[in-house]
Amino acid sequence: MSRRMTYQRFFAEAVEALKAERRYRVFADLERVVGRFPHAIRHTPEGETPVVIWCSNDYLGMGQHADVVEAMATTARRMGAGAGGTRNISGTHHPIVQLEGELADLHRKDAALVFTSGYVSNATGISTIARLIPDCLILSDALNHNSMIEGVRAAGRDKAIFRHNDLEHLEDLLRRAGKERPKLIVFESVYSMDGDIAPIGRICDLAERWGAMTYIDEVHAVGLYGPRGAGVAERDGEMGRIDVIEGTLAKAFGCLGGYIAADGAIVDAVRSHAPGFIFTTTLPPAIAAAAATSVRHLKASRAERERHQHQVAATKDALIAAGLPILDTPTHIVPLMVRDPELCKAASDRLLDVHGLYIQPINYPTVPRGTERLRITPTPFHDADLIAGLADALVEVWTHLGLPFTATQAREAAE
Ligand SMILES: *Cc1c(COP(=O)(O)O)cnc(C)c1O
């Protein structure tokens, strides 16, 4: 066998293994159209087809907001396409400095630091913070996002995983570590796959009782919750008690980038020590300007948040009435359970091919095996007609594939 063939086989086998487990991923090639979201164009080898997107993390459609797009376009024309360097070497442009000021103000912290993505902000932020604390024990929620797990791993510190949102387990681990040992609790506010929320205030109580520092990922909450869109901690009146707030500019804010907001001393230390901040080129000025525009807009305007919650509630009502087995979440995330990887993929394929609705199947390892689902994210732009169309299409797909409806619906059908 040739040298090239020998190596190619490793990669081909790696892909075959995924296919055998039915978790080989196929991407939808989409073209979003400003002014028409959630309608989009899907490109396939057979041509173009119209689709309605029901699984976007551009939760409020800010990615197409006129002011945000305008800020991006005018800044690119004035300042060019790229940043031209790392933050330290000529890449600290004025729009990113302004963006950091906007984010510090959003979270009412001394300072904020922007990274090229939310993933990077967690991976390099958590690892750097934990490495700067002598003998730090990291306490991490079992359902934390991969970027946080990566940060915990890269820290190389002792770690203890507490059962998801389990305060007793967390306190047990804190007690075992003792008050004296430095500890960092890392958790999320909104967990994006189950759509549930952490008991933020009670985690802060424990942190204060046992002398731990707190780090929260508000990626699925910033822009969406709280009077100024600073997240669930703001909504719950707990923001001031959290030491480090991490967020993304890529979901509800509709752009790209991640950040942390914290006391000046923490931000300055991360700025000075985090490899994932230091050794990479700054986000372009146009993206920073667009993100700042989006943050500023959502700080002042509640209309998007209110309409979002309204359409989410209407979607949940429609799916429950149709007997579809959604998880009843306290958030904007609507998980529709399938609990089988092949059926989940088949349901998604049929929604797309027959009904023109795009909902990506969520399979292992994103969620545990046996909890495969369709993760539906209504936005303010999913109106009553689109919601009714979604419910009808799902009922057709559920019936076609023989998927179970909820018990109440099955009883009604039998009567
Ligand atoms: C998406 C996500 C991230 C990463 O944010 P990006 O800006 O997309 O890199 C971090 N944490 C959680 C919980 C996420 O879902």
Side-chain angles (χ1 to χ4, degrees):
M1 209 183 290
S2 74
R3 185 191 60 89
R4 179 172 294 170
M5 288 286 286
T6 306
Y7 283 97
Q8 267 183 1
R9 214 186 51 213
F10 297 132
F11 304 104
E13 282 169 2
V15 168
E16 283 312 316
L18 289 180
K19 286 185 175 164
E21 279 195 56
R22 302 286 177 255
R23 49 190 195 92
Y24 178 70
R25 294 175 177 199
V26 183
F27 297 154
D29 177 354
L30 302 173
E31 181 179 333
R32 304 209 300 165
V33 185
V34 169
R36 298 200 53 227
F37 181 70
H39 295 275
I41 297 159
R42 177 186 171 217
H43 292 266
T44 71
E46 290 75 45
E48 299 177 1
T49 51
V51 293
V52 177
I53 301 177
W54 273 101
C55 58
S56 177
N57 281 339
D58 185 358
Y59 291 128
L60 301 176
M62 291 303 286
Q64 62 161 14
H65 191 283
D67 295 349
V68 174
V69 175
E70 185 60 23
M72 188 175 281
T74 55
T75 306
R77 263 184 233 108
R78 277 172 47 221
M79 302 187 191
T86 64
R87 289 297 292 272
N88 190 40
I89 306 178
S90 92
T92 296
H93 48 74
H94 194 52
I96 207 152
V97 173
Q98 289 177 307
L99 172 60
E100 287 177 341
E102 202 65 65
L103 293 166
D105 173 76
L106 175 67
H107 293 291
R108 303 203 188 282
K109 299 289 184 196
D110 293 345
L113 197 66
V114 170
F115 303 81
T116 40
S117 73
Y119 192 99
V120 172
S121 60
N122 273 333
T124 204
I126 293 171
S127 60
T128 302
I129 289 166
R131 271 189 280 108
L132 292 173
I133 304 171
D135 191 33
C136 182
L137 170 69
I138 307 175
L139 298 126
S140 178
D141 187 284
L143 290 193
N144 276 343
H145 186 258
N146 179 274
S147 56
M148 305 173 79
I149 295 169
E150 189 54 31
V152 172
R153 197 194 57 75
R157 294 294 195 188
D158 290 349
K159 65 167 189 220
I161 311 297
F162 59 96
R163 285 189 295 274
H164 176 56
N165 280 348
D166 187 331
L167 293 162
E168 272 179 42
H169 193 204
L170 174 59
E171 179 150 39
D172 190 40
L173 295 170
L174 287 164
R175 186 184 298 112
R176 269 193 254 167
K179 277 194 182 169
E180 296 310 313
R181 182 168 189 188
K183 297 169 289 298
L184 176 69
I185 305 174
V186 296
F187 64 111
E188 301 182 25
S189 61
V190 173
Y191 286 84
S192 71
M193 291 301 149
D194 288 344
D196 57 336
I197 290 182
I200 298 174
R202 287 157 74 201
I203 290 176
C204 290
D205 293 344
L206 291 180
E208 284 161 16
R209 185 173 315 143
W210 293 99
M213 191 171 149
T214 48
Y215 178 110
I216 194 169
D217 173 317
E218 289 250 37
V219 160
H220 291 277
V222 289
L224 302 176
Y225 297 92
R228 298 199 312 157
V232 178
E234 183 195 33
R235 183 195 71 182
D236 294 354
E238 309 287 3
M239 196 161 68
R241 298 175 74 198
I242 299 276
D243 295 305
V244 183
I245 297 173
E246 184 271 344
T248 185
L249 303 165
K251 290 173 184 171
F253 293 127
C255 297
L256 183 70
Y259 65 89
I260 59 166
D263 283 352
I266 297 172
V267 169
D268 201 24
V270 173
R271 182 184 74 83
S272 310
H273 284 95
F277 177 80
I278 296 170
F279 297 107
T280 190
T281 300
T282 315
L283 279 182
I287 292 178
T293 302
S294 184
V295 171
R296 209 175 299 126
H297 177 89
L298 290 176
K299 242 183 227 178
S301 169
R302 295 176 184 222
E304 290 82 3
R305 280 189 284 283
E306 281 167 10
R307 167 109 179 134
H308 182 224
Q309 291 299 324
H310 192 265
Q311 297 314 101
V312 168
T315 305
K316 287 177 180 172
D317 287 349
L319 301 194
I320 289 168
L324 292 155
I326 63 167
L327 292 186
D328 189 14
T329 69
T331 61
H332 59 284
I333 292 159
V334 186
L336 175 56
M337 304 309 286
V338 181
R339 304 185 189 280
D340 177 277
E342 281 183 65
L343 288 169
C344 194
K345 170 99 173 52
S348 172
D349 286 348
R350 188 168 178 87
L351 281 168
L352 191 55
D353 296 335
V354 177
H355 301 280
L357 304 184
Y358 174 48
I359 310 176
Q360 184 63 27
I362 308 283
N363 286 357
Y364 177 84
T366 307
V367 294
R369 292 181 206 274
T371 71
E372 292 80 7
R373 66 197 66 185
L374 300 175
R375 175 182 179 273
I376 301 167
T377 53
T379 72
F381 296 92
H382 290 89
D383 61 19
D385 283 349
L386 288 178
I387 293 170
L390 172 70
D392 289 347
L394 284 170
V395 167
E396 190 283 326
V397 168
W398 247 239
T399 308
H400 182 85
L401 295 176
L403 290 167
F405 288 86
T406 54
T408 44
Q409 194 69 17
R411 262 201 313 278
E412 279 168 25
E415 276 160 12

